[in-house]
Amino acid sequence: MPIEGAQLREEIMSLKTRLSVLALLISTSALSADEVYINGKVYTVNSNQPWAEAFAVEDGKFTQVGSSADIKKLASKETKIVDLNGRFVMPGMIDDHIHPGFGAEMVMNVGTEYAMTYEEFAQKVKQFQVDNPNSKWVYGGPLNWLSDDNGLIEVFDQPSNKSILDKLVKDKPAFFWDVGGHAALVNSKALELLDITKDTPDPEGGVYVRDANGELTGVLRENAATIVWEAFLVDRPSNQEFAYNGLKPVFDVMNSFGVTSISDVWAREWILRSYGILSKDDALNVRIFAYIADPIEWKSQWMQELATKAIKDYQSYNANRVTVSGVKFVLDGSAGGQTAVMVDPFEGTDNHGYWRDDPDYFIEKIAEYDKKGLTVKVHAVGDGAIRKALEGIGNTRQNGSNLRHSVAHTVFVNPADKKLFKEYEAVAEFSPYFWYPGPHTDMIKGDVGEKRLSWVFPFRSLVDKGVHVSVGSDWPVAATPNPWPAIESMMTRKQPGGEGSTLAQQEAISLKAALEAYTLGGAYAQYQEANLGSIESGKLADFIVTNQNPFEISPTDIHKTTVLSTVVGGKEVYRAQ
């Protein structure tokens, strides 16, 4: 039945009245705040309001962003007023590729720095054995890059050979990852424990490195390292101990660099349970999006069974600040050691690298996981592996999927494949800490050649195509989770400080694009762009205060940026001393 004019006017007036009351209620509720922050240089990463002076926080969320004069009006007698004194403020950093479990293992064992001398390393190993006489293993890392030919380890000035560990650890197995995380050095006792001899066949997807005489050097690559590592993991600490003595110190380090959210990209079952312990105790000071390592990653039955269980029951691990909704694959290795899968062979060889995970299995499983609503992150370094990762993601699109599957590292992208990132809506996740010029790139150049080296880390190419990009440190595979050297290298394509040559200069991006990748880019990859990644009303109050404004300094000084305060959910979790 049609509405008469008078009735229509009456209903419109009634609606206007209700809307006025609602607006009044909203306005009244916004007239107070738990904290107000004023007099800052606030870079919001919100394109509708890029800069502000102040903002208000209530119940762990931003409620209003604007001028200091307007925001101060929201303060009541109970409101805490924080004067930023002109400091730079931005959203908390989102590290979309990090390994808290590795970090915790190193914190609880022999955490090293790959720039330390052999003498410093020897002293640290000796002290660990004194302090931990009952430890069954001497474990840690990272070491500098390991060679296949007994070549010298940089800074150590010692050969990549088990003999340098045998001198230090004689009566128990020793295992140390190198900086790339795809190779390890073990002592003779570790090889003996697992009955690995020079006649032992290489495992599928791995190598027991041998010298020219066929003798084991102690260098293990890819799945060969995993086999030995799993023997170490058998005697892991309790979940409670792992949570507080391993993970909590790792998260404190992340907070000190301004990281407020992370993607754990190789989660194991007991790590997920440890996250739950910290969450339940309200002691979790980062937000976590976790990808469980697919069972194919593991070589022992007990690890495969745990991974299968974790993926089957993934929703049971969700908790406050913990979302478990992804699976991780590792298709290939790294450019170092020629274990990345390349379309064309490495220079002067017929070696195309090799698959760490069976590519046919990956194609089958990504379709299966996608149907279950699980997002997949695929480690792919070589252009051959990246092409296979994109094939798997493309298949899900043909089946109507809109999940945000991502390619991890995105290193050697074949120019012919760049368009596929946008076509398949694949997230390109980069690890820029590795990709500024240094000894490692000089080593890799001989393997891939100058042309392919110019393909690395094609940030600008993909951003210009409208591809969603994110950034991950890959720590502790990389030396630090500090975002600022990486941000600088994204802009300069040089070593922090600007010395030396550039690497693929054509892929340099702006500071704005770099900061967006570290904030909204990560939030998008985690399905959290409505809650995180920018400072705007209604979003969770995760933000950082720094000692300098990166927009007001030379790009080559950005690596010197330090974080003065880190806030997660409106609560300060780090303050510089």
Side-chain angles (χ1 to χ4, degrees), residues 23 127 221 253 260 262 283 286 293 311 323 325 355 368 374 414 423 431 459 474 502 515 519 521 559 567 570 573 576:
Q127 191 61 51
R221 295 202 178 276
V253 170
T260 56
I262 64 168
V286 296
I311 292 171
T323 302
S325 190
W355 299 103
E368 177 185 320
L374 284 159
N414 194 297
E423 183 178 336
S431 300
F459 212 119
D474 205 15
T502 60
L515 294 181
T519 52
H559 72 282
V567 176
V573 295

Side-chain angles (χ1 to χ4, degrees), residues 264-267 272 289-298 307-308 310-314 323-330 357 361-362 365-370 372-379 393 403-408 527:
D264 178 350
V265 298
W266 219 37
L272 300 176
F289 189 98
Y291 296 83
I292 304 168
D294 183 86
I296 198 174
E297 288 296 305
W298 309 114
T308 300
I311 292 171
K312 179 182 177 182
D313 301 332
Y314 73 94
T323 302
V324 183
S325 190
V327 177
K328 172 71 176 294
F329 286 91
V330 182
D357 288 351
Y361 173 88
F362 159 71
K365 295 298 285 189
I366 188 174
E368 177 185 320
Y369 290 137
D370 181 90
K372 294 178 179 178
L374 284 159
T375 302
V376 171
K377 187 180 281 284
V378 194
H379 168 111
I393 295 171
L403 293 182
R404 297 172 185 179
H405 305 304
S406 64
V407 179
Y527 304 89

Side-chain angles (χ1 to χ4, degrees), residues 304-339:
Q304 291 170 354
E305 290 175 351
L306 268 183
T308 300
K309 177 184 181 300
I311 292 171
K312 179 182 177 182
D313 301 332
Y314 73 94
Q315 292 177 325
S316 69
Y317 302 100
N318 290 332
N320 183 36
R321 295 185 177 174
V322 181
T323 302
V324 183
S325 190
V327 177
K328 172 71 176 294
F329 286 91
V330 182
L331 281 183
D332 66 347
S334 66
Q338 299 187 2
T339 61

Side-chain angles (χ1 to χ4, degrees), residues 40-163:
K41 294 184 178 179
V42 182
Y43 184 59
T44 66
V45 198
N46 173 8
S47 59
N48 295 321
Q49 186 188 21
W51 290 93
E53 293 179 326
F55 53 87
V57 174
E58 185 169 10
D59 293 332
K61 293 185 176 182
F62 299 114
T63 56
Q64 199 161 320
V65 183
S67 68
S68 293
D70 287 341
I71 298 302
K72 279 196 289 188
K73 295 176 183 177
L74 304 178
S76 66
K77 292 180 180 179
E78 290 76 30
T79 299
K80 178 182 178 182
I81 300 176
V82 180
D83 192 333
L84 294 165
N85 294 309
R87 295 290 192 190
F88 178 77
V89 181
M90 65 169 285
M93 299 285 190
I94 299 176
D95 191 322
D96 194 35
H97 189 125
I98 200 162
H99 299 281
F102 279 156
E105 288 161 8
M106 291 176 184
V107 165
M108 300 177 76
N109 291 277
V110 187
T112 63
E113 297 176 11
Y114 69 83
M116 66 173 34
T117 67
Y118 180 67
E119 290 72 26
E120 292 170 332
F121 171 75
Q123 181 56 41
K124 198 152 194 177
V125 170
K126 177 181 178 181
Q127 191 61 51
F128 176 82
Q129 293 179 87
V130 170
D131 295 341
N132 301 273
N134 297 322
S135 174
K136 294 183 179 180
W137 285 74
V138 177
Y139 170 94
L143 306 181
N144 218 313
W145 297 94
L146 296 169
S147 299
D148 280 352
D149 54 1
N150 290 320
L152 296 182
I153 301 172
E154 190 180 1
V155 185
F156 265 27
D157 200 30
Q158 296 285 329
S160 296
N161 190 280
K162 61 184 183 294
S163 61

